Amino acid sequence: MKLKKSFGFIVMAVAMLGLSSTLSSVSHAETKVGFVYVGPIGDHGWTYQHDRARLAVEKALGNKVKTTFVESVKEGPDSERVIRQLASSGHELIFTTSFGFMNPTLKAAKKFGNVKFEHATGYKQAKNVGTYSARFYEGRYIAGVIAGKVSKTNKIGYVASFPIPEVVRGINAFMLGARSVNPKMSISVVWVNSWYDPGKEGDAAKALIDQGADIITQHTDSPAPLQVAENRGVKGFGQASDMIKFAPKAQLSAIVNNWGAYYVERTKAMMNGSWKSQDVWYGLKEGMVEMAPYTNMPSNAAALAKKTEEAIRSGDLHPFTGPIKDQSGKLVVEAGKIADAGMLLGMNFYVEGVQGSLPK
Amino acid sequence: MDLVAIVLTIITASTPLLLAATGELITEKSGVLNLGVEGMMLIGAITAFATTTITNSAVLGVLAGAAAGTSMACVFGILVLIFLANQVATGLALTIFGIGLSALVGTGFVGIALEPLPKLDLGPISAVPVIGQILLGQDFLVYLSFFMVVLVAYFLSKTRLGLILRAVGESHDSAHALGYPVLLVRFLAILFGGFMCGLAGSYLSLAYTPLWAENMTAGRGWIAVALVVFGTWRAGRVALGAYLFGAITILQLHVQGWGLEIASQFMSMLPYLATIVVLVIISRDGAKIRLNAPQSIGKAFTPSR
Amino acid sequence: MFTLERRVEQSKSWLVFSPIMAIALTILSGIIIFSVLDKDPWMSLYTFFIQPLTTGFGFTELIVKATPLILIGVGLSIGFKANVWNIGAEGQFTMGAIAGGGTALFLNTQESFLVLPAVLLMGIFGGIVWGMIPAFLKTKFNANEILTSLMLSYVALLILSYLVHGPWRDPGGYNFPESEIFSDFAMLPILLEGTRLNLGTVFALLSVLIIYILLSRTVLGYQFKVVGLAPAAAKHAGFDRAKLIWLSMIISGGLAGLAGISEVSGTIGQLLPSVSPGYGFTAIIVAFLGRLNPVGVLFAGLIMALTYIGGENAQIEIGLPAAVTGLFQGIILFYLLACDVLARYRLRYKPFLKARDRE
């Protein structure tokens, strides 16, 4: 009986095919660039910033490019299909903007040798797959320096998403920055096990403030923790974009993800034939990480923040310069040395001053 | 550690759950299972947020949010009562619909900040430690959530209309035979459910975290549905459940802040595990539960039969 | 006043007409929605429903996407028939992925053709265990399975999260939250070279067949139906309600577990922090859309999968936001569910007063 149902469906389908085939002739004079997003573009966080960068590409290259995006693509079985469909529908460069898209991107890249891929935050490259990531920890170090200057309780509340190296690196950079100006600083971390749950993120911030933190910072997507800081009269930092509108009295600064320049650069490279697979990790110097204006703090703190930012930008200062001790007091980076790339990429320990433990 | 502050946090975390669950309780008591709570909450949240942003009036925002939730419920009611569509599937479809529609409407409202809903301020009385802070310093939706629990409990157990509602949920055929307008009662119960979900959504986007972001309910609608079951279809117990769930959610965050050496995923499991355990304990007495569970839940009713 | 009258038997002609009516209404709404959004409505409808099926890859992807929905949906339909409300298939799916995937990781250096059967069996077992907990709590403590199965879903998702963020991380993966990639011996064979169509689809078809026979040809199947439709009669006939609860949770849990491991070792090839884009919940709609009939579920799964793939395609081809595709998907489901009424009920015109008189 259901057979008939599907038969009816097919009859309609064929009828529509006939009607529509005349409409489907679209010319592709412009270069097509595809973007795969893990969240909705309305998340006001990670995906929102990637989409602003996509718009920057459209603005910079005008009608020479046509961009396409697919949002809320779940990591897992769906992503490979979406990437392959973009590749097979004439997109010549495809940005896959979440770590979980790494293996699907590589699989699709194998099938579509002529298409170029750019995968964010991964570590596997191929001839037609480049990777890019941002040194957000540089911004977090500066935020730590500010916190060390501004905090009165010497306690920082850190709202975190998942224990992955990117997040752990941020926590450690923040701690090192804070301790560089005030060795008594400590960080309490609360994991909300979500990138995105405004209510829970806000609740975590409240819990941390109730436990004595007077600086709130976060590695989750929504402005909720910062809003809580504003309402409770403590200070905090914006995440991914300048969130001053949400906390005009509380935001000290914000670490801004700016992918726009990179996307424009790579799209141009693809168009003039100079695109090559590469592995870049850009920071303040290249403009992939930016700091929002230093506000709501004494001028000496702002001056120090600016100085630190300058030093990182010029290469005089690397946030992970020894001596660095882990929680047990063991020296993991010797004085004067800089943590090597492997340690930075796969960071899985807390530095001295961070409370709690990491899952092993 | 400030106990009062913790209680205040628990109240904010529990209120949206309580509002939505109270509405769903009435819907289910009439014999209809609406799994579209998440979708109705999202529509309520964006409508309240958008209205408040445009009119600058939180009261109008809350009203609009509640109205939006009600109209979503209206769609559901027409589908399941008139077209006799399957309730479970229609509820889930309502959620998919609500997520999409709210995201579409919300496109222009991402990144806008609002003042949180004003709180009751009786001057020095509201500042009285503990009692004043907890009891007299909340926003009006919190008071409303409690008032609704009492009202619903009273309605179900003490009023004639409540009796009719329960009769309809118990056995629609007998209720029909007695001359009660089964479909009308169910439709109103569904609308009330949507109204409360709209309020719950408004609370999320105006008071809990005064912002709009896609999918900001993050699964709270599902928890609300579960809480009705948890409360064994009794208003007081539903309220208890909402606060138990809220309290454990908040406390596990506090415990993490103390630096306990336990993987955070296990801490995040606690609210779910706790509700299962408590449900098991209160369900052991089977006879009592069956008295409360609406027997004809999920079943379609055709008067002509 | 119009009233609906239950048909003694489902109307054969309306079984065909009702979906056609739903499709017509969908097209009508589509024209309105897409016109409002300034998109060419016929082009939009074409990209949504037809274009995904015009390529071989698109067609196989439809089946790949439908496979887990059918597997889970078929299992759920048994329980729903018997009024056992398992809404935690998402958790049973995830547990299947964990148990099967864990086995694959454990045996990752073994080069034996026994690896795959072990992986699959463990996957099914994982789903069964996760389904048995609500069954146990229901039969022993009278705890409502709506709550327990739903809550256990969240627990399963968090266990998976813990494992891939912790002990099961790929040792060569810089502590990123992904397991090692499974060896070929743990992977389901691909049925069509160059596509992702794998043996999981065969499992889905087999499950449809087996459950169909179970429901239509066995005493047990008859018991499931009677318990659902007439609990009192079932009690009178001496059917063991507890046994049916256990069985339906085991069957639906096992099939969800099989779906989970088929997804992990069929298309993904490793464990990730999340392995399901909500299949467990979507499959509930699929089960009812298919009228709790295994063959119906098969087609419902395909239709549901088409709305997802069509949504992706519409984003790619005409820049339709995901929000619109979700909205549209909801509307399609409303129509399908609402039009279904005409197959089961007859529309009768009755003068209002007369209807009252009769009472």
Side-chain angles (χ1 to χ4, degrees), chain A residues 203-220:
Chain A
D203 287 341
K206 287 179 197 164
L208 287 160
I209 295 168
D210 292 341
Q211 292 184 8
D214 66 348
I215 305 280
I216 290 296
T217 189
Q218 56 169 333
H219 205 140
T220 48

Side-chain angles (χ1 to χ4, degrees), chain B residues 75-92:
Chain B
V75 173
F76 176 84
I78 290 171
L79 285 167
V80 302
L81 295 180
I82 298 177
F83 289 94
L84 304 177
N86 176 274
Q87 293 174 7
V88 177
T90 308
L92 286 161

